[in-house]
Amino acid sequence: MADRGCPLEAAPLPAEVLESLAELELELSEGDITQKGYEKKRAKLLARYIPLIQGVDPCLQTENRIPGPLMTAATSKPQKSRATNSRDERFRSDVHTEAVQAALAKYKERKMPMPSKRRSVLVHSSVETYTPPDLHSAPPDVTTGLAEHSHYERPQVASVRGIPRGHGRNVLETADGVPVNSRVSSKIQQLLNTLKRPKRPPLKEFFVDDFEELLEVQQPDPNQPKPEGDQMAVLKGEPLSVGTSGPSSLLAALQLWGTTQPKAPCLTALDTAGKATCTLTYGKLWSRSLKLAYTLLNKLTSKNEPLLKPGDRVALVFPNSDPVMFMVAFYGCLLAELVPVPIEVPLTRKDAGSQQVGFLLGSCGVTLALTTDACQKGLPKAPTGEVATFKGWPPLAWLVIDGKHLTKPPKDWYPLAQDTGSGTAYIEYKTSKEGSTVGVTVSHSSLLAQCRALTQACGYMEAETLTNVLDFKRDAGLWHGVLTSVMNRMHVVSIPYALMKVNPLSWIQKVCSYKARAALVKSRDMHWSLLAQRGQRDVCLSSLRMLIVADGANPWSISSCDAFLNVFQSRGLRPEVICPCASSPEALTVAIRRPPDLGGPPPRKAVLSMNGLSYGVIRVDTEEKLSVLTVQDVGQVMPGASACVVKVDGAPYLCKTDEIGEICVNSIATGTAYYGLLGITKNVFETVPVTADGVPVSDRPFTRTGLLGFIGPDNLVFVVGKLDGLMVVGVRRHNADDVVATALAVEPMKFVYRGRIAVFSVTVLHDDRIVLVAEQRPDASEEDSFQWMSRVLQAIDSIHQVGVYCLALVPANTLPKAPLGGIHISETKQRFLEGMLHPCNVLMCPHTCVTNLPKPRQKQPEVGPASMIVGNLVAGKRIAQASGRELAHLEDSDQARKFLFLADVLQWRAHTTPDHPLFLLLNAKGTVTSTATCIQLHKRAERVAAALMEKGRLDAGDHVALVYPPGVDLIAAFYGCLYCGCVPVTVRPPHPQNLGTTLPTVKMIVEVSKSACVLSTQAITRLLRSKEAAAAVDVRTWPTILDTDDIPKKKVASIFRPPSPDVLAYLDFSVSTTGILAGVKMSHAATSALCRSIKLQCELYPSRQIAICLDPYCGLGFALWCLCSVYSGHQSVLVPPLELESNVSLWLSAVSQYKARVTFCSYSVMEMCTKGLGAQTGALRMKGVNLSCVRTCMVVAEERPRISLTQSFSKLFKDLGLPARAVSTTFGCRVNVAICLQPNRLGKLAEQGTTGPDPTTVYVDMRALRHDRVRLVERGSPHSLPLMESGKILPGVKVIIAHTETKGPLGDSHLGEIWVSSPHNATGYYTVYGEETLHADHFSARLSFGDTQTIWARTGYLGFLRRTELTDASGERHDALYVVGSLDETLELRGMRYHPIDIETSVIRAHRSIAECAVFTWTNLLVVVVELDGLEQDALDLVALVTNVVLEEHYLVVGVVVIVDPGVIPINSRGEKQRMHLRDGFLADQLDPIYVAYNM
């Protein structure tokens, strides 16, 4: 664990030390020891082996190689063009860059596991730049320490994944003791070191009731800084002097200048070359505005009524390059008493946030949009030629306001505009943190007050020139450049964003050429001009008296201001000219710095501790130089306003003087409301701050600005961030902009494309988690990306002491853009949450961030038998046991004796009903390929028996492997073996296209079962001996292979009769989902008892026809295919599941054609039909498929019933007449292949009273299941999981629920292992090495108390019994058996027992592209493998969604997310996932994944 301590010397450590270290690591990961205790013990163990340099911590000896600060000051080196170096100016701070580099230097260069990615996904970087994963620096093989000690033999139930015996010494084991066939791939191995013990903050200790998993509430740190100052007082600005000389209102000013100074320039617009395209004079502005007002009021009609009435809202849709038309439209609306709502030009139908803007227009009742001719032509059009309707927008009429479209008013016409009262003047849109768009209404009186306050604060004079780089449609660009300028007859030079992109110096050049007195910019514009100013000698800024920095409230603007002054002071820029200001859509201008000649105090800076800020406290940083925030003041409160700072959360109490809070303003110059939203309007625009005693500080309401800050010395306002960018993690608050700044300072290779980084928080597990998304430069390699990501994580951890939950990189230019080129944060967040971000690299760090997980469960000390019985009695619980009907009462036992041996039954049927058809096999086309009557089957069996005795020279008791495709040949071969006393073993034939993986399993079963002979068809015989087969197995070691296709017609001299019913009849081999190959022994007695139970349960008689679509190789599928028809005499229509691959409707068509009342299938068949026939039910009905004949359709399974699948199957085929109650499930397992079957009987049979109740469904609490408890809940309650009864218990079968560890009986509705006792239990496992003793108690278990005499077989499945209110045929109350899952499959994580299917169900729901999912554990990590049914570039979207959903629903941290192609997760013939095979494939690096993400 290189990241935990110091580099060890090369000297090898002794084995016992290694062992002790491994134990120590384990203790730490399990939480049995604290980090401190771990380090202490580890140091003690290693003390003798680590040389110490005198007085120097060995961890620091390698540190001097870390490069120093990698960002130099902006002035130090010539930089060519902005495109390559444009780091986001807002966040530039050389001090901060140095701090970040120093913080990184503290970290050891840890080797983090790099996500592996398939090359085809590297669409963003060429193959040349792709860096293969570093395989040379792999840490020591984790398996080596174990391999040396693994001299013991692992007891083995022959495993398909196992290793041939005799190689035990070289078996490699992963850390949880699972054998692996080959060396774990070096790539996977390399990761183990870093991932085995993820860095986890210690979880607090507290008592947890067994199944209340309480999420931890983070407790405040007792040492956290607390505010200590006095309560602040309300700060009052200077009085607003209402000058007598000035115009009485804005429209009065417009009329005054328009008529008295018509030639005075009002606005100059520039093109992208910087040339003035148009200068609007005050006369022109007045006349055009009048013309527009007249047209709006008199020329627009709808059904002979005026389209608009005073007070109606009108949308203004103008591009950033056309301030002239915008100004005309704005003033035209004001003159016509209409309310302008300026919005951005929608360029496409799917602009970021466009839907929300549409919602705003709809809620404002906008029906008309004003625009220009050029702009209207550029809008997306519908096929009719009209402007397209944008998603979420109301229907709009578009009016082009170019001169030729307007009507000249009569000479004497003048509008009666009222523009001084409380009526709404205009509405400015604002996008909230969540992405919703609201309209801030500004009244006429506020508008006037704002113009006057700005005039006074900025000292604006008549005929001054102002250059404006900002968006003139809103915020400071509108207030200064469109409104206050007209009030003072100023000349505005408007510089479009497009020109700034081409020539970042344009605004400075215009200041020079127009001798502008004031300029309105953002810090970004200052930064851009710095990068472009080289070689510009003739620039002079001496005319400027105010350079207003509109985003001066952003703490990171200070570095741009300082750097700009450094460079341009020599060109006439005076230091006092730079005037940062703070504003918000709700409060308009909050504060602005004034030059000394306007009475401003000298500017100030504050260097604040980031740690203090995160607790909302102001601490001037002294000792920790790294994590500081330097902020500049934004000047004084506006004239005529009062300001105070209130607490962010809860009631608006005044803050203390050293406390950060939200700045609130009381002034007549603020916005008045959010349009149409009364509730939030009251919270924001009508706040009444109170003192600590609850006394209101003023009788007039304040407006919340959304700015966080404090009032500093000289009554200067300081802003440290915005409420919108605030992320509350635990009890600490972090500002998104600060995190962006830290990430940008980690830029050794100029990695981020144009500094575009978005930081936001998402709520996972009831707490905010930080997400950082950056655009990477097109030429960045994988190695660069990963190095940058890991350094960013370290820097943020060091500077902000907070973990980043997810770090994603996207290709350049793909994040949604805000109108003026920034990142649209809320849209980015929305895409992240919906899985639509399409990153090209992702790093998740849930281990470090999620500290509020419930405490791992501690197992309680075991309860003794006596107290358990007492507990059962006290609780009034019934012992959980149930049984099917009694066999003795059901049938004449003579017949049962006569039917003891199946070979006898077949002979008897061949004798008494020779021509009665038993079997009918269908091919993919639905035609019958072979049939067998009783006599035909008998004769074919005789021929096989003769061949075995003569050709095979076999004796009674020899084992014979039957390798046949599904069909009548297999059945004949089975009875042939019985006729000559051999023991048949059915084996699935190898797949010709996939010999490499399927043939070794065939070979293994043949060897493990000790088969003396293989019977097969000609084609398969050839395949077993082929060259291809020789590549997969040793074909020389096959036993005798007999081809039964052309054996001579011969009779056997005498048919073998077993000496006793307990003699072995056949072996049933199958591979479990955990990859274990297990063969069970079935005696003749068990075989006939099984058939008898099924016959009684399903009421099978010779007159019946049943349809079977199952694999005939093991379990109940084999019994139904080969045994039951012979025993009961009914006819079986056999449909091989493989044929459905070429004709999905084959099974259902057969059921309909043969009018089968009873049919059996597997989940995989049901899934194929549901997926493949979903859209074809109409076509099937046309073909005459009718399923109304079906009484029972039973799904044969060894797992928990899949309710959603059976329900969707029932719903889908209801149209074809399938009765609603027909579908039911069965349950069997290795020790007993048929425990439950649910025949639904309708009609006459039901009337005879032989029916059982319908299967019931209950809802249990999934969290309680993890604690091995059952808690019943209502449907739809949180964490509820539906469980369906697994069918009715078969006649003669008894079931009890036993405690998994004490083996005592459990009460009703308690979760435990299902034990079964029945005449058809298997008699034991058959394994090569005779290790039956190991599993003896699987077949001969006894309860530890209570009924200790009965012999039970343990199924290995967890479940519970519940007595229902229903009664069964005998009038008894019905006991329902619910299967929860296989014990072998469960995952033990955090002290709890998880069922993989529950985690997988959550994951599949997380995103529509997830086709299938499987989970398993690797060391102590949860690995989730998802199949992507979509484009490869969408793969990485799934990583965060999967991690989120598993955290939210299961309280587990996913360690590794593997994204693979569809079909990679192996599924067996029963439709069950082979998770252990998948795990082996993952460890051997054989999955060819699209992407593997290692969550840190």
Side-chain angles (χ1 to χ4, degrees), residues 526-809:
M526 300 164 81
H527 178 69
W528 281 8
S529 51
L530 278 178
L531 297 174
Q533 54 83 30
R534 310 271 166 238
Q536 296 283 337
R537 290 280 161 265
D538 50 349
V539 171
C540 175
L541 296 179
S542 57
S543 65
L544 274 183
R545 60 177 189 80
M546 269 193 106
L547 174 55
I548 302 165
V549 185
D551 62 344
N554 183 322
W556 298 97
S557 61
I558 182 168
S559 50
S560 293
C561 293
D562 291 352
F564 189 79
L565 182 64
N566 277 343
V567 171
F568 287 100
Q569 198 164 358
S570 60
R571 310 202 184 161
L573 181 71
R574 303 188 300 284
E576 65 274 12
V577 164
I578 295 179
C579 299
C581 76
S583 61
S584 83
E586 292 82 1
L588 282 55
T589 311
V590 175
I592 186 163
R593 192 190 286 175
R594 336 260 158 97
D597 54 339
L598 290 174
R604 299 252 185 176
K605 282 183 187 175
V607 181
L608 308 175
S609 149
M610 285 259 198
N611 186 46
L613 286 178
S614 71
Y615 290 107
V617 179
I618 300 158
R619 291 286 178 269
V620 175
D621 197 270
T622 47
E623 67 293 329
E624 179 56 82
K625 285 286 177 282
L626 293 182
S627 49
V628 295
L629 181 70
T630 307
V631 287
Q632 61 183 344
D633 71 276
V634 287
Q636 295 154 300
V637 180
M638 292 297 285
S642 312
C644 64
V645 181
V646 301
K647 293 191 184 293
V648 175
D649 302 314
Y653 286 107
L654 285 181
C655 286
K656 295 186 173 171
T657 48
D658 62 343
E659 192 174 0
I660 299 290
E662 184 176 5
I663 299 170
C664 294
V665 171
N666 160 248
S667 157
I668 52 169
T670 62
T672 48
Y674 289 131
Y675 187 87
L677 302 169
L678 300 174
I680 55 173
T681 289
K682 197 159 179 54
N683 291 346
V684 173
F685 293 92
E686 296 167 29
T687 294
V688 180
V690 291
T691 62
D693 310 326
V695 182
V697 299
S698 162
D699 51 354
R700 290 176 48 205
F702 279 65
T703 299
R704 287 178 176 267
T705 62
L707 299 173
L708 301 174
F710 60 95
I711 309 295
D714 293 340
N715 288 343
L716 291 173
V717 178
F718 286 85
V719 177
V720 297
K722 285 187 177 158
L723 206 53
D724 269 359
L726 197 63
M727 303 177 292
V728 183
V729 181
V731 292
R732 293 172 63 215
R733 304 193 295 226
H734 303 274
N735 213 291
D737 283 345
D738 301 348
V739 178
V740 171
T742 300
L744 279 168
V746 184
E747 218 179 40
M749 54 260 185
K750 290 272 181 283
F751 176 80
V752 182
Y753 178 70
R754 307 188 87 164
R756 288 171 59 81
I757 293 183
V759 169
F760 50 87
S761 63
V762 295
T763 305
V764 180
L765 222 58
H766 313 300
D767 205 351
D768 275 9
R769 316 284 175 198
I770 295 177
V771 178
L772 188 149
V773 184
E775 288 187 4
Q776 66 175 33
R777 295 214 2 215
D779 52 355
S781 71
E782 290 288 289
E783 194 72 47
D784 290 347
S785 322
F786 200 65
Q787 189 187 346
W788 184 80
M789 287 159 94
S790 34
R791 288 174 68 88
V792 165
L793 290 179
Q794 291 167 3
I796 293 173
D797 184 43
S798 179
I799 302 268
H800 302 276
Q801 285 94 51
V802 67
V804 174
Y805 176 67
C806 175
L807 207 157
L809 295 177

Side-chain angles (χ1 to χ4, degrees), residues 26 198 226 353 508 522 603 627 715 770 784 802 819 830 919 948 972 999 1034 1045 1152 1219 1334 1347 1359 1482:
L26 193 63
K226 295 184 176 60
I508 296 183
K522 281 194 168 177
S627 49
N715 288 343
I770 295 177
D784 290 347
V802 67
Q830 198 54 35
F919 298 104
L948 281 170
L999 191 60
D1034 183 356
D1045 279 0
S1152 164
L1334 210 162
D1347 167 12
F1482 167 72

Side-chain angles (χ1 to χ4, degrees), residues 1217-1240:
L1218 181 71
R1221 295 162 47 188
V1223 179
S1224 64
T1225 60
T1226 70
F1227 174 63
C1229 60
R1230 291 282 67 206
V1231 298
N1232 184 324
V1233 295
I1235 297 170
C1236 303
L1237 282 180
Q1238 181 81 30
N1240 290 317

Side-chain angles (χ1 to χ4, degrees), residues 344-348 350-354 357 429 431 497 501 524 528 753-754 756 758 775 810-829 831 837:
E344 304 306 330
V345 178
L347 298 173
T348 67
K350 288 187 183 165
D351 274 12
S354 163
V357 171
Y429 80 87
T431 302
Y497 176 64
K501 275 166 66 176
R524 169 190 65 195
W528 281 8
Y753 178 70
R754 307 188 87 164
R756 288 171 59 81
E775 288 187 4
V810 297
N813 263 328
T814 55
L815 286 181
K817 289 188 171 67
L820 287 186
I823 296 171
H824 200 296
I825 302 285
S826 56
E827 183 76 8
T828 303
K829 176 175 173 175
R831 288 190 190 178
L837 196 61

Side-chain angles (χ1 to χ4, degrees), residues 163-183:
I163 313 94
R165 192 163 173 89
H167 297 282
R169 283 158 204 278
N170 308 332
V171 172
L172 289 175
E173 296 179 8
T174 50
D176 56 353
V178 175
V180 179
N181 315 9
S182 64
R183 183 184 148 72

Side-chain angles (χ1 to χ4, degrees), residues 937-1090:
L937 184 62
H938 167 67
K939 288 192 166 162
R940 287 171 75 169
E942 281 198 315
R943 285 162 59 193
V944 171
L948 281 170
M949 290 162 80
E950 291 176 16
K951 283 194 187 173
R953 296 197 178 81
L954 299 186
D955 303 319
D958 281 346
H959 298 182
V960 177
L962 313 183
V963 186
Y964 287 92
V968 180
D969 286 347
L970 173 68
I971 304 168
F974 176 82
Y975 287 99
C977 290
L978 297 189
Y979 276 13
C980 67
C982 293
V983 178
V985 183
T986 47
V987 184
R988 176 193 309 280
H991 196 291
Q993 269 77 55
N994 195 2
L995 277 182
T997 51
T998 55
L999 191 60
T1001 309
V1002 175
K1003 188 83 161 61
M1004 188 174 254
I1005 296 176
V1006 169
E1007 285 174 358
V1008 168
S1009 63
K1010 292 189 176 162
S1011 294
C1013 172
V1014 175
L1015 286 187
S1016 191
T1017 63
Q1018 203 165 4
I1020 293 173
T1021 306
R1022 275 206 297 271
L1023 189 63
L1024 295 180
R1025 294 185 169 134
S1026 66
K1027 266 189 198 157
E1028 292 79 11
V1033 297
D1034 183 356
V1035 292
R1036 294 167 304 180
T1037 57
W1038 287 116
T1040 313
I1041 301 180
L1042 290 185
D1043 153 20
T1044 56
D1045 279 0
D1046 51 358
I1047 46 176
K1049 292 184 177 173
K1050 277 200 179 172
K1051 272 188 165 183
V1052 275
S1054 65
I1055 288 174
F1056 175 81
R1057 187 176 170 88
S1060 115
D1062 299 325
V1063 169
L1064 187 58
Y1066 69 94
L1067 290 177
D1068 182 335
F1069 271 88
S1070 91
V1071 180
S1072 75
T1073 51
T1074 50
I1076 302 295
L1077 175 70
V1080 291
K1081 299 185 282 196
M1082 287 293 283
S1083 66
H1084 285 279
T1087 306
S1088 57
L1090 171 65

Side-chain angles (χ1 to χ4, degrees), residues 12 81 239 444 560 565 704 790 876-877 962 1058 1148 1217 1459 1479:
S81 69
H444 287 289
S560 293
L565 182 64
R704 287 178 176 267
S790 34
K877 288 275 188 209
L962 313 183
L1148 295 179
I1459 296 161
R1479 184 180 189 276

